Amino acid sequence: MRKSFEKKENMSGSVTRQCIKGNPSQYVKLNIGGALHYTTIGTLTKHDTMLRAMFSGRMEVLTDSEGWVLIDRCGKHFGAILNFLRDGIVPLPESAKETAELLAEAKYYCILELASACEQALLKKEREAEPICRVPLITSQKEEQLLINSTSKPVVKLLINRHNNKYSYTSTSDDNLLKNIELFDKLSLRFSGRVLFIKDVIGSSEICCWGFYGHGKKVAEVCCTSIVYATDKKHTKVEFPEARIYEETLNILLYENRVGPDQELMQATSSRGAGLSSYTSDEEEERSGLARLSEIR
């Protein structure tokens, strides 16, 4: 039983050392840092703890002139300590701070089971507090290589550098740039447990480019920018090849297996066959088509 008031000590009262040993049903008065408790010797000696040593005659304890046993600890969680000794189980605090406080008290009194329960609860709270999805922001090429080489997951990297533009943008480029970023965010949430997604905002001269890595090596790339020649001006065109990005993201999942993907399966799922795949803009496709026609003629 815990009393809610605090004991006021007589400044002239004496404190003595003595060994306490008695019948398990005998009650003792405890003053834990000013918080007063009243319990039996049987409860205090029920488990193999420091309290058993204190109340079985093996250790001397401090008592005041009124017979209160003095223990120089915070009494905030001593009620939970007593309930655990009585029942072998006790509800743990909701907050991590109070759970850590109870853990400290359990360790002091050498109550190993309660300390273990507090540690497990703290670990669970820590895991629950972690974000579902983490996307590292690359600050150097060395950092990028360390991330790609140290993970066992396949990697999808979005190089996005809006300020690295030598020419003006076409009218739809800003919208397409935003669509690429939004798709990256959606994919990183959907496959966060299976793929490492990273962002690069200081990379090469590219403005928007997707890179796909398996087992530490780049296996595909989707470049989303091209130069458009209109009259005497050059314009930067940003594309949004959504289907192509989805395709390469699904292909990269084949690299979850440490042994490596089946090459026949990779070839069947790739529209360009084996090797590094890349996306080309409509203008480039048109140019290459005209070149092939001229060769045939």
Side-chain angles (χ1 to χ4, degrees):
M1 179 182 69
R2 178 177 178 176
K3 300 181 181 179
S4 60
F5 60 89
E6 291 189 359
K7 179 175 173 55
K8 295 182 179 179
E9 287 293 329
N10 187 343
M11 298 302 294
S12 61
S14 61
V15 176
T16 60
R17 289 181 177 273
Q18 62 175 304
C19 292
I20 295 181
K21 185 177 181 181
N23 191 287
S25 60
Q26 178 183 337
Y27 276 82
V28 290
K29 302 184 295 182
L30 304 175
N31 183 342
I32 316 296
L36 306 183
H37 297 266
Y38 199 51
T39 188
T40 65
I41 290 179
T43 294
L44 296 170
T45 59
K46 192 173 183 179
H47 299 270
D48 187 14
T49 67
M50 190 180 79
L51 290 168
R52 173 185 281 184
M54 292 173 65
F55 293 95
S56 61
R58 287 185 287 163
M59 289 177 60
E60 288 185 341
V61 296
L62 293 176
T63 59
D64 65 10
S65 58
E66 297 180 11
W68 290 89
V69 177
L70 307 177
I71 299 178
D72 188 18
R73 296 293 296 181
C74 177
K76 179 179 179 180
H77 298 287
F78 195 75
I81 296 288
L82 287 180
N83 285 334
F84 185 84
L85 295 177
R86 293 178 181 119
D87 305 326
I89 189 172
V90 68
L92 298 180
E94 289 293 330
S95 72
K97 178 179 178 294
E98 292 194 352
T99 302
E101 293 172 354
L102 180 57
L103 171 61
E105 298 305 306
K107 286 183 175 180
Y108 176 80
Y109 294 112
C110 301
I111 307 175
L112 301 182
E113 290 183 16
L114 179 57
S116 177
C118 290
E119 288 173 345
Q120 292 178 13
L122 286 173
L123 285 174
K124 183 179 179 182
K125 291 179 186 295
E126 185 179 343
R127 288 194 296 267
E128 290 175 349
E130 289 182 353
I132 298 174
C133 177
R134 289 182 175 179
V135 178
L137 188 64
I138 299 301
T139 59
S140 68
Q141 189 173 5
K142 181 180 179 181
E143 185 180 35
E144 175 186 324
Q145 288 303 316
L146 285 173
L147 277 171
I148 293 173
N149 293 331
S150 62
T151 183
S152 59
K153 299 177 182 178
V155 178
V156 173
K157 183 189 78 169
L158 175 62
L159 190 156
I160 189 81
N161 197 345
R162 173 64 177 80
H163 301 288
N164 194 13
N165 176 30
K166 298 178 182 179
Y167 314 107
S168 61
Y169 286 87
T170 61
S171 58
T172 59
S173 291
D174 283 331
D175 288 340
N176 285 335
L177 195 65
L178 182 59
K179 288 178 181 178
N180 277 283
I181 297 173
E182 289 177 342
L183 178 59
F184 179 85
D185 292 342
K186 289 178 182 178
L187 291 175
S188 62
L189 286 172
R190 182 175 179 182
F191 298 108
S192 60
R194 303 174 64 184
V195 177
L196 173 63
F197 289 84
I198 58 178
K199 274 186 179 179
D200 184 354
V201 295
I202 61 167
S204 64
S205 58
E206 295 289 348
I207 296 167
C208 181
C209 186
W210 295 71
F212 302 86
Y213 300 80
H215 302 161
K217 296 180 181 179
K218 182 184 281 189
V219 296
E221 183 178 278
V222 178
C223 183
C224 303
T225 54
S226 61
I227 303 301
V228 179
Y229 295 87
T231 62
D232 296 332
K233 294 182 179 180
K234 295 179 181 179
H235 296 281
T236 301
K237 184 177 183 181
V238 179
E239 304 281 359
F240 178 51
E242 183 176 11
R244 185 69 176 152
I245 295 167
Y246 266 116
E247 178 187 355
E248 296 299 348
T249 302
L250 294 176
N251 284 343
I252 206 68
L253 292 175
L254 297 172
Y255 285 86
E256 286 184 291
N257 186 348
R258 288 184 176 273
V259 178
D262 185 277
Q263 292 302 319
E264 292 184 2
L265 181 58
M266 285 295 295
Q267 192 169 10
T269 56
S270 175
S271 61
R272 302 181 187 276
L276 187 68
S277 64
S278 62
Y279 171 80
T280 56
S281 66
D282 296 337
E283 287 77 8
E284 290 173 334
E285 291 282 2
E286 185 177 350
R287 292 194 196 104
S288 61
L290 290 174
R292 286 194 297 270
L293 284 174
S294 62
E295 289 175 2
I296 294 173
R297 291 175 182 174

